[in-house]
Amino acid sequence: MHIGMVGLGRMGANMVRRLMRGGHQAVAFDRSPDAVAALVKDGADGAISFADLARQLDTPRVVWLMVPAGVVDATIADLLPHLSPNDTIVDGGNSYYVDDIRRAKELAAAGVHYVDVGVSGGVFGLERGYCQMIGGESDIVAHLEPIFATLAPPTEAAAPTPGRAHRVGTADRGYLHCGNVGAGHFVKMVHNGIEYGMMAAYAEGLGILRHANIGRADQEHDAETTPLGNPQHYQYDFALDEITELWRRGSVITSWLLDLTAEALLQSPDLSAYAGRVSDSGEGRWTIKAAIDEAVPVPVLTAALFSRFASRGEADYSNRVLSAMRAGFGGHSEKK
Ligand SMILES: O=C(O)[C@H](O)[C@@H](O)[C@H](O)[C@H](O)COP(=O)(O)O
């Protein structure tokens, strides 16, 4: 197929490369001419503006946006005047599904179709392929299938689920039409909520292992971190690079996140390159908002999101309030 890609960051540029490897033709556009030039070198056609992009694409056009969620509306506003009825805009970024519902309505007024695709796979997608969660009109999604199939991981990426042989579908090939507009980003939103929870679970567990030496005489610690009366219970000096490597083999908690953790610990057991300030791009918040609207309890996902806020110092004021009360009622001064 002939496809336009707007946004040539880490994700968009490699998606274009994977599409071209799969025999598709791409016209690439980014606000940075250097990003466009890099892809032209790799075989894409480059566009210098949205008008140029629209001019070069076969009609009806397919333009895939791979831009941050916060600039999707502005990008569509600039692109739309150059599109025609029956063209399709695909939003492959991490947009809020509620925005998808609104955008699809707005674009329908101009006769332009809108498909939302939650894309997972990160910077490894060029080689491994991208898991795609898709929302939109069935016939439009079906038309784009060659694109999804090329971007998807190879079927061998996962062993077949026993008992599924009679109903193998596109999910087995790494992409799925999840439902009407917004469904793709809804599923990706929850995927990321789960991602937060899994990441927090590994991080917390490894934290416990790392501090299992606090009873040792050679460890510096203050009275507050001394295990209550049982220093002999905390005499271990665990090699976390070895333990994570071990867990990758046959344990219940194997995962790609664990693979990445083992790799990071191998490079630097104390992870000194990181301060531990963890950002979030919105998906975790939206997941919890949806859970509240649905009255579904999500204590693990919520705690994982809140611990990211705390990692960025957002608990500092609350903690000072605690210290102030404790000083007030008991005269307890903070330990320095
Ligand atoms: O599935 C994926 O490939 C990731 O989830 C990807 O989409 C991105 O790395 C996250 O959106 C980061 O999200 P946070 O900034 O919220 O951690």
Side-chain angles (χ1 to χ4, degrees), residues 171-205:
D172 305 76
R173 302 202 297 273
Y175 59 98
L176 184 69
H177 182 207
C178 300
N180 290 339
V181 70
H185 281 144
F186 194 105
V187 175
K188 177 63 165 51
M189 169 186 83
V190 176
H191 165 284
N192 279 35
I194 294 170
E195 183 177 291
Y196 284 30
M198 289 176 66
M199 290 170 71
Y202 285 119
E204 291 182 9

Side-chain angles (χ1 to χ4, degrees), residues 128-139:
R128 287 169 46 125
Y130 302 89
C131 171
Q132 297 153 87
M133 297 147 254
I134 304 160
E137 302 155 80
S138 298
D139 51 338

Side-chain angles (χ1 to χ4, degrees), residues 202-216 219 234-241 243 247 265 268-272:
Y202 285 119
E204 291 182 9
L206 290 171
I208 297 170
L209 289 174
R210 174 136 170 128
H211 291 95
N213 63 0
I214 61 167
R216 289 166 60 123
Q219 289 302 311
Y234 300 93
Q235 297 288 326
Y236 305 110
D237 211 353
F238 290 123
L240 298 189
D241 51 348
I243 290 171
W247 283 347
L265 289 171
S268 163
D270 60 3
L271 302 175
S272 52

Side-chain angles (χ1 to χ4, degrees), residues 58-62 82-89 111-114:
D58 292 346
T59 51
R61 302 176 187 85
V62 176
H82 307 285
L83 298 185
S84 317
N86 267 330
D87 289 351
T88 298
I89 293 178
V112 170
H113 306 286
Y114 180 84

Side-chain angles (χ1 to χ4, degrees), residues 79-129:
L79 172 65
L80 191 58
H82 307 285
L83 298 185
S84 317
N86 267 330
D87 289 351
T88 298
I89 293 178
V90 180
D91 178 9
N94 277 334
S95 283
Y96 188 26
Y97 76 96
V98 173
D99 291 332
D100 294 327
I101 296 169
R102 169 183 52 77
R103 281 179 199 137
K105 258 195 208 136
E106 291 167 359
L107 290 170
V112 170
H113 306 286
Y114 180 84
V115 172
D116 55 288
V117 185
V119 179
S120 184
V123 289
F124 291 80
L126 174 59
E127 303 305 334
R128 287 169 46 125

